[in-house]
Amino acid sequence: MPPSLQTPPDLLHGLGVPVSAGVPLAPRTWYRTGGNAALYVQPQSPDQLAAVLERCAQRGVPFFVLGAGANLLVADAGVDGVVLRLDADAFKQVAIDPEARRVIAGAGVDLFKLVPATAKAGLDGLVQVAGIPASVGGAVRMNAGGAPGDVSRGITRVRVMEANGAVHDLPRSAIHFGYRHTDLATPLILETQWQLDAGDPAELTNLYRTLYARKRDSQPMGDKSAGCCFRNPPAQGPGSADGATAGMLIDRAGLKGFRVGGAQVSPLHANFVTAAPGSTTADVLSVMDHVEEAVERTSGVRLQREVVLWGV
Ligand SMILES: Cc1cc2nc3c(=O)[nH]c(=O)nc-3n(C[C@H](O)[C@H](O)[C@H](O)COP(=O)(O)OP(=O)(O)OC[C@H]3O[C@@H](n4cnc5c(N)ncnc54)[C@H](O)[C@@H]3O)c2cc1C
């Protein structure tokens, strides 16, 4: 563990929760860059999770929730605190009820698997997020989506845990889902329920394959990245760009292929900053800094980052 990490290694002693110190986060994120988690914790139940949060609060140690790591950039120096991974069975339960048109999925469920399963069950509403790498918790937190739709469609309730361990079911009306954003004030999503529309399983499965293929053909899905690095500017008002997307502005600034170390603005999709094996988070951040400055200079728009930075 780098000396700058202050999290006490014995923080969670006696709780019976699986804990490892100094765990590399790079293999647990899509970017494959960055340093270690001071403590990497895999609670086996909501009760264990609540006990971890209580201990963190008592000792003033910050915690971070890791989903599939598909929208994360971790500092090269690592993350000083507790990194929580909800990958135990208790957080990966799925119930798909075609009759009731209802889907309930735990925060640790892989969206890659959930989405085709809903299509196969003849349920329409989630298929629109085909091909987006995410856990259910991370997808709902970010309101993951794209032109065909986003994950918020059909959500009826979200089960959350507060920092004090209290669990609540929030109705949809209590949550605002915006562009790649939710206003959830609670730090942890435990489970989400959707009420979807009825559809034809074969047609939905075809739609799933079409949307997935379209994404694969237009985005560098095989490279290491966090998807779109920057948010699209608003259509109107301050910071708008006459309908141009962030990718268009980056392309117009002539930045496709711009590189620092192993990090590069993707030649295929200008809003993806990819990282070749051996890259550092510092490389990726240098590319992002340059893109922000160059786009502001050429178009007057200051791009906002979509990727979540930990410890940077
Ligand atoms: C190749 C590629 C393509 C992508 N394409 C798209 C796309 O088309 N559309 C799109 O919207 N995104 C896209 N992304 C980004 C990413 O898939 C989404 O942002 C996704 O929602 C991230 O989910 P995750 O589980 O990986 O979250 P992580 O990256 O692990 O975490 C992201 C944030 O969510 C929080 N979080 C995670 N789990 C929980 C939880 N249980 N409770 C509370 N907070 C939580 C984390 O603390 C963090 O703040 C792409 C990424 C890649 C690598």
Side-chain angles (χ1 to χ4, degrees), residues 28 30-31 64-72 86 107-108 111 130-146 180 184 186-190 215 219-228 272 306 308 310:
R28 293 165 174 84
W30 275 63
Y31 253 130
F64 304 81
V65 195
L66 176 63
N71 201 41
L72 277 184
L86 306 185
L111 203 70
I132 298 179
S135 62
V136 162
V140 172
R141 164 63 76 198
M142 301 300 304
N143 192 16
R180 303 295 82 81
L184 278 169
T186 46
L188 274 147
I189 294 162
L190 297 181
K215 192 166 166 60
Q219 299 179 357
M221 295 294 289
D223 293 334
K224 308 305 174 207
S225 78
C228 287
F272 277 57
E306 183 171 314
V308 175
W310 278 1

Side-chain angles (χ1 to χ4, degrees), residues 1-40:
M1 202 191 308
S4 60
L5 300 189
Q6 304 294 321
T7 305
D10 65 349
L11 177 77
L12 303 174
H13 271 188
L15 296 183
V17 185
V19 182
S20 311
V23 171
L25 290 174
R28 293 165 174 84
T29 69
W30 275 63
Y31 253 130
R32 299 284 188 277
T33 65
N36 295 352
L39 291 181
Y40 184 77

Side-chain angles (χ1 to χ4, degrees), residues 22-262:
V23 171
L25 290 174
R28 293 165 174 84
T29 69
W30 275 63
Y31 253 130
R32 299 284 188 277
T33 65
N36 295 352
L39 291 181
Y40 184 77
V41 182
Q42 293 162 284
Q44 301 298 297
S45 66
D47 284 349
Q48 280 198 353
L49 178 57
V52 172
L53 298 189
E54 189 183 354
R55 192 65 67 82
C56 286
Q58 282 166 357
R59 308 276 294 269
V61 173
F63 65 86
F64 304 81
V65 195
L66 176 63
N71 201 41
L72 277 184
L73 194 50
V74 174
D76 292 317
V79 175
D80 196 4
V82 165
V83 171
L84 292 161
R85 188 77 190 266
L86 306 185
D87 59 357
D89 283 351
F91 303 105
K92 289 169 80 171
Q93 299 300 308
V94 178
I96 298 179
D97 182 341
E99 290 296 305
R101 293 181 284 110
R102 192 167 48 230
V103 174
I104 301 176
V109 170
D110 184 350
L111 203 70
F112 264 152
K113 292 186 183 149
L114 181 67
V115 169
T118 61
K120 208 169 154 195
L123 294 176
D124 186 6
L126 270 174
V127 69
Q128 288 74 8
V129 298
I132 298 179
S135 62
V136 162
V140 172
R141 164 63 76 198
M142 301 300 304
N143 192 16
D150 58 46
V151 81
S152 75
R153 178 172 158 189
I155 286 184
T156 48
R157 72 160 170 83
V158 178
R159 180 165 296 167
V160 295
M161 183 178 278
E162 310 233 20
N164 66 7
V167 175
H168 303 291
D169 278 343
L170 297 178
R172 187 202 173 85
S173 56
I175 309 166
H176 172 70
F177 291 94
Y179 164 60
R180 303 295 82 81
H181 170 76
T182 52
D183 67 352
L184 278 169
T186 46
L188 274 147
I189 294 162
L190 297 181
E191 185 186 279
T192 300
Q193 176 176 300
W194 289 264
Q195 186 73 39
L196 299 178
D197 299 322
D200 177 65
E203 279 176 23
L204 288 169
T205 300
N206 271 339
L207 176 60
Y208 168 76
R209 290 193 185 125
T210 305
L211 292 174
Y212 198 164
R214 194 177 296 162
K215 192 166 166 60
R216 222 179 28 224
D217 292 345
S218 61
Q219 299 179 357
M221 295 294 289
D223 293 334
K224 308 305 174 207
S225 78
C228 287
C229 243
F230 299 100
R231 305 169 67 78
N232 288 323
Q236 292 156 351
S240 67
D242 296 326
T245 63
M248 288 174 191
L249 296 176
I250 298 167
D251 197 5
R252 281 181 204 162
L255 294 170
K256 272 188 174 171
F258 174 80
R259 172 187 287 275
V260 176

